[in-house]
């Protein structure tokens, strides 16, 4: 993980939901999002090239002033339901591909786990060993 380890702290491990892999993966990562100092509506920009360089998929966050449309690599933090405090964030398919998660081969016997790191307005995702 190189020097990024001094910036990020491992916060949680989550199961990657299999049914969503053909498009994006929405993860309930409330603790990690809160550790970034951001909350609902915050925008995260995913950098798939970071996996090759650092071994983690990085997502750079910023508070959202205006609701901006989703772009190819940008996703907004959402509440998992209107009455709950749980927060979720989708990982774009390009991010999953950069992590070598094969989105096209179903493997129901195996649950894929992702480790989630967080720092100030920064998230990191990696395959759990």
């Amino acid at each position: 993980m190189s020097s990024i380890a001094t910036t990020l702290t491992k916060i949680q491990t989550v199961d990657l939901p299999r049914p969503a892999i053909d498009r994006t993966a929405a993860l309930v990562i409330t603790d990690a999002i809160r550790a970034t100092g951001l909350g609902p509506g915050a925008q995260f920009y995913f950098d798939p090239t970071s996996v090759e360089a650092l071994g983690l998929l990085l997502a750079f966050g910023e508070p959202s002033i205006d609701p901006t449309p989703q772009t190819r690599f940008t996703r907004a933090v959402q509440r998992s339901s209107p009455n709950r405090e749980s927060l979720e964030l989708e990982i774009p398919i390009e991010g999953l591909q950069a992590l070598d998660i094969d989105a096209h081969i179903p493997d129901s016997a195996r649950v894929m786990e992702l480790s989630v790191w967080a720092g100030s307005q920064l998230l990191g995702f990696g395959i759990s060993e």
Side-chain angles (χ1 to χ4, degrees):
M1 195 165 67
S2 76
S3 65
I4 198 76
T6 60
T7 305
L8 297 175
T9 303
K10 185 176 177 182
I11 303 295
Q12 63 190 111
T13 301
V14 295
D15 291 342
L16 185 63
R18 278 291 185 201
I21 290 226
D22 62 334
R23 297 210 172 116
T24 59
L27 303 175
V28 177
I29 53 172
T30 306
D31 293 340
I33 292 169
R34 287 192 176 134
T36 67
L38 300 171
Q43 299 284 321
F44 279 88
Y45 172 81
F46 289 82
D47 180 7
T49 64
S50 64
V51 176
E52 187 175 327
L54 302 171
L56 288 178
L57 174 64
L58 295 181
F60 302 91
E62 64 182 12
S64 180
I65 298 168
D66 303 323
T68 55
Q70 178 175 297
T71 65
R72 182 174 176 193
F73 297 119
T74 305
R75 299 293 187 270
V77 174
Q78 305 288 325
R79 291 193 187 278
S80 60
S81 72
N83 300 326
R84 297 183 60 187
E85 291 298 314
S86 298
L87 301 174
E88 68 181 19
L89 185 64
E90 290 182 359
I91 298 177
I93 189 68
E94 293 86 356
L96 295 173
Q97 290 169 343
L99 288 169
D100 273 340
I101 296 172
D102 193 342
H104 305 293
I105 300 174
D107 186 0
S108 59
R110 184 172 164 225
V111 174
M112 179 72 65
E113 288 186 334
L114 290 181
S115 294
V116 185
W117 286 264
S120 180
Q121 296 188 352
L122 180 64
L123 290 170
F125 300 89
I127 296 174
S128 293
E129 301 295 324

